[in-house]
Each structure stands twice: as structure tokens, then as C-alpha cells.
Amino acid sequence: MPSVNRISAEFKGKGLEIVLVAFRESAGLVKRTVQERGYTARVLLDESGDVTGRVYGVWGPPTFYIVTRDGKLLGRAVGPHEWEGEPARKLIQSLLDSPPAR
């Protein structure tokens, strides 16, 4: 997750928002994990896992979603990914450069 922290810091002022979602974990464990690992993104908690699994189809971490400014799902991938490489940077920049939907 250090690469997520760094890419978040780099693009935050340009409109990128990263939200981490913890599911099927207690609030106390999530809070300790966030502090211990130094996550900087906002963290949402779905303690039961109902919304995360039923609505979004996430059954195991890490799963990431790319959602447009107007809330449309653009893509989804499961498993760890490199966020500091050139392909990821180009993808993020192209999404940020695209005009908002009207």
C-alpha cells in the first residue's frame, strides 16, 4: 500500500480521491491496521461485508474500482497492482484530464 499512499499524494490536488474499504473486520482492528501501516486515504468500514460483497462483488482483498466523477463504474480488478508505474500514472492522468460528465 505504500505505492497507493504515494500516488494518492501526487494526484490528490489534481482531483484523484482514493477510498479504502475494509470489510468483515472490526472497527478496532481496522483502526490499528491503518495506524500501523500508515494508510493516508480515507477508510470506510463494512463490518458485516454485506454491502461490499452483495452490491460490489468484493469477496477478497485487494479489489480496486475506478469510478468516474459522476459515479459510473469504469473498471474493476482483483489482486495487487503497481500504482507508481508509467501505465498506471498515464491511466490516472487521462481520467483526470477527461471532462466531467454533464
Side-chain angles (χ1 to χ4, degrees), residues 4-13 40:
V4 173
N5 284 348
R6 286 189 292 272
I7 207 77
S8 175
E10 179 180 337
F11 285 96
K12 185 174 184 152
T40 58

Side-chain angles (χ1 to χ4, degrees), residues 8-77:
S8 175
E10 179 180 337
F11 285 96
K12 185 174 184 152
K14 299 176 182 177
L16 177 68
E17 182 176 358
I18 294 179
V19 179
L20 306 175
V21 180
F23 62 99
R24 295 186 305 216
E25 300 290 352
S26 71
L29 176 61
V30 171
K31 184 176 181 175
R32 282 191 307 277
T33 302
V34 167
Q35 290 173 340
E36 289 170 3
R37 296 184 182 176
Y39 298 154
T40 58
R42 183 170 50 139
V43 179
L44 304 178
L45 177 61
D46 177 10
E47 200 165 344
S48 70
D50 289 344
V51 173
T52 308
R54 185 173 31 81
V55 177
Y56 295 101
V58 177
W59 301 106
T63 302
F64 78 89
Y65 293 85
I66 297 175
V67 180
T68 62
R69 288 180 183 99
D70 59 342
K72 293 181 183 168
L73 178 64
L74 186 64
R76 175 179 102 148

